[in-house]
Amino acid sequence: MPASTDSIKLVVSGSPHPMDVEIPSPPSKRCSTRGPCSPSPCCCRWCSCCTPRCTSIFLCSLLALVGLFFVGPRLGPSSHGLRWMSTSRPWLVSHGDCPCLPEPANSLLWFEYAASLGVDVLEMDLMLTADDQLITFHDKTWDNLSNGTGLVRATLLEDMKKHIDVSGSYSQYDNVLVSPPSLDEVLSTFSSTDLRFNMEIKTAIEDRYIVAERLCELLKSHGVVSRTLVASFDTENLEAVRSHCGNHLATSSSEAETRSAL
């Protein structure tokens, strides 16, 4: 980009006529239009500006990273969070609920497909049936993610296996009933592998003690406590799990715990 110029009148000693002389202006400091706080009249390397807003964003980001490091799976009585996360490379985590998946979400078919891809962690959502059985399903009702209607909590596991289909638009299963698996089925299938598990509790807070008792029982009976991270947005759910499972289970922080820590 050519430098801008300024034209000035230069009077040369001994000459009766002034001359127009163009002298290049010094290059101006032009801040980049990129960055969270640009444009700005002042430039710096980090975000193209030197403003209080820029500093605030940087400090908040730094505090968030430090906070998440300290309050992640190790928050609460758990002492195994760091061990659960310890790895020499990034982990591949299969997310259990997405309409873009090649197999029905949160189904045993999806978990088996994800495992065949070589993922490190199976992520899944947990709901509770009328007979207090944990299953892998995302919503509190059947309406949006299956052919059924009504509350998951009001449905017996046996009835679910007979009538609830989550295959939806997956044409390869037009003539097959694909029901949500119980957590017991999932762990029976994968407990003998090296896979780890990230389980998010989606159940109502009032069921937290039933969920905690049933979940801890299953994790212990299948020998996968040290390979499991239990997550929830709700502090009450996590506190119940921590109390029932003891110090050997990694948990996430809840939304409220994360806000408090930051």
Side-chain angles (χ1 to χ4, degrees):
M1 181 177 177
S4 62
T5 58
D6 291 325
S7 178
I8 63 173
K9 296 290 185 180
L10 181 64
V11 178
V12 180
S13 176
S15 172
H17 305 291
M19 296 181 295
D20 288 328
V21 178
E22 290 187 347
I23 300 178
S25 301
S28 61
K29 288 187 176 181
R30 303 181 65 85
C31 287
S32 168
T33 58
R34 297 173 296 177
C37 44
S38 58
S40 166
C42 177
C43 297
C44 65
R45 303 173 89 181
W46 182 71
C47 65
S48 303
C49 62
C50 300
T51 65
R53 182 185 173 197
C54 180
T55 304
S56 297
I57 291 174
F58 173 76
L59 291 177
C60 287
S61 300
L62 181 61
L63 286 173
L65 290 174
V66 172
L68 288 174
F69 176 81
F70 282 106
V71 305
R74 290 171 292 163
L75 190 65
S78 174
S79 61
H80 281 213
L82 186 59
R83 184 181 305 173
W84 190 89
M85 297 180 68
S86 179
T87 179
S88 58
R89 60 171 176 78
W91 279 349
L92 297 175
V93 181
S94 64
H95 190 263
D97 182 68
C98 178
C100 60
L101 299 177
E103 298 288 349
N106 271 303
S107 70
L108 198 58
L109 292 166
W110 162 242
F111 298 136
E112 290 172 340
Y113 180 83
S116 72
L117 296 178
V119 302
D120 301 292
V121 183
L122 295 179
E123 189 272 345
M124 60 197 71
D125 304 298
L126 300 182
M127 287 300 301
L128 196 65
T129 63
D131 45 346
D132 297 339
Q133 299 298 309
L134 288 170
I135 63 170
T136 58
F137 193 75
H138 185 276
D139 289 3
K140 289 182 171 64
T141 66
W142 300 113
D143 300 60
N144 294 327
L145 299 175
S146 77
N147 64 334
T149 59
L151 293 171
V152 175
R153 188 69 172 104
T155 309
L156 293 170
L157 180 67
E158 183 180 2
D159 292 337
M160 180 199 76
K161 288 294 186 181
K162 291 179 179 178
H163 305 293
I164 298 297
D165 181 24
V166 296
S167 61
S169 59
Y170 294 85
S171 58
Q172 67 268 39
Y173 302 115
D174 282 347
N175 300 314
V176 180
L177 182 69
V178 180
S179 297
S182 66
L183 181 58
D184 190 31
E185 289 179 84
V186 175
L187 294 179
S188 294
T189 303
F190 298 105
S191 60
S192 60
T193 70
D194 293 329
L195 286 167
R196 293 174 182 266
F197 308 97
N198 182 0
M199 303 177 183
E200 183 174 353
I201 299 174
K202 295 288 190 179
T203 55
I205 292 176
E206 53 264 30
D207 289 323
R208 61 189 181 277
Y209 298 117
I210 298 173
V211 171
E213 181 180 359
R214 184 63 179 143
L215 177 57
C216 296
E217 175 187 310
L218 287 171
L219 296 180
K220 290 176 182 178
S221 64
H222 287 282
V224 296
V225 173
S226 63
R227 289 158 50 193
T228 302
L229 168 68
V230 175
S232 177
F233 283 100
D234 301 309
T235 304
E236 295 88 346
N237 286 336
L238 291 174
E239 287 179 340
V241 169
R242 292 165 186 160
S243 176
H244 276 79
C245 292
N247 295 339
H248 302 291
L249 178 68
T251 65
S252 73
S253 58
S254 66
E255 183 177 6
E257 288 169 335
T258 302
R259 289 178 181 274
S260 177
L262 298 180

